[in-house]
Amino acid sequence: MSTQQKNETTQFGYELIRDHVLSSILGKNENDILYWCGKELARKFPLYELDEAISFFKEAGWGDLVFDKVSTSEAFCTLTGDPEVLKFEQRCFRLEAGFLAQQQQKCSGFLTECYEETKAKQSLVKFHIKWDLKDKVED
């Protein structure tokens, strides 16, 4: 079996779990549970800086993440990639949003949330990461 065939098999297995099994198990709570799962993944795979999420997303097969704008209390980023793999029209991106929120919260020390907007026709997802400079947390 070639490396490409192994990668395709791995991607297919990932898609089966992510797009079919999880949605069947989680049902109407899928969005909320995936967000909290993303936060838990961030705790298990902590980054030192939010910019490291770019390589993490790539290695995890989550797509190509780019930071568009970062200020003192918010960041905007865009996720792109192969529409055949990322399935923008079908997939929920709350796992990735939770991951980004928790990583920023760990890096900044402030309560952080992340919201996503899928733009399927453009084959991308926009993330808005927002942290509250008045709400310090201890991780």
Side-chain angles (χ1 to χ4, degrees):
M1 184 178 273
S2 73
T3 303
Q4 183 177 356
Q5 287 173 322
K6 286 181 185 177
N7 287 341
E8 288 172 6
T9 302
T10 303
Q11 186 64 41
F12 178 64
Y14 173 76
E15 288 173 14
L16 283 174
I17 293 169
R18 173 81 187 253
D19 300 332
H20 303 287
V21 174
L22 283 179
S23 63
S24 294
I25 293 170
L26 302 177
K28 67 180 181 171
N29 299 312
E30 179 181 12
N31 289 346
D32 293 333
I33 293 171
L34 285 179
Y35 187 80
W36 290 104
C37 286
K39 290 178 82 77
E40 182 61 25
L41 274 175
R43 290 182 191 104
K44 292 185 188 269
F45 298 92
L47 305 176
Y48 294 106
E49 295 181 12
L50 193 58
D51 287 346
E52 293 177 39
I54 294 168
S55 58
F56 186 93
F57 270 57
K58 189 77 161 168
E59 192 166 330
W62 289 357
D64 300 315
L65 187 69
V66 175
F67 283 88
D68 304 318
K69 180 183 175 189
V70 179
S71 71
T72 57
S73 64
E74 63 186 351
F76 297 89
C77 50
T78 303
L79 179 67
T80 60
D82 182 351
E84 297 275 326
V85 173
L86 293 181
K87 302 186 184 302
F88 291 101
E89 292 180 5
Q90 302 167 344
R91 184 171 291 168
C92 159
F93 289 90
R94 297 296 288 157
L95 181 77
E96 293 85 345
F99 182 84
L100 289 169
Q102 185 62 37
Q103 292 297 0
Q104 177 57 33
Q105 184 169 304
K106 179 200 165 290
C107 293
S108 71
F110 296 105
L111 185 63
T112 305
E113 293 292 328
C114 180
Y115 305 95
E116 82 284 352
E117 180 182 0
T118 303
K119 298 183 179 253
K121 290 183 181 179
Q122 298 170 322
S123 298
L124 58 85
V125 179
K126 293 281 191 180
F127 292 102
H128 180 193
I129 309 163
K130 179 88 174 125
W131 52 99
D132 186 349
L133 297 174
K134 296 175 190 165
D135 200 351
K136 192 91 169 133
V137 294
E138 296 191 28
D139 269 344

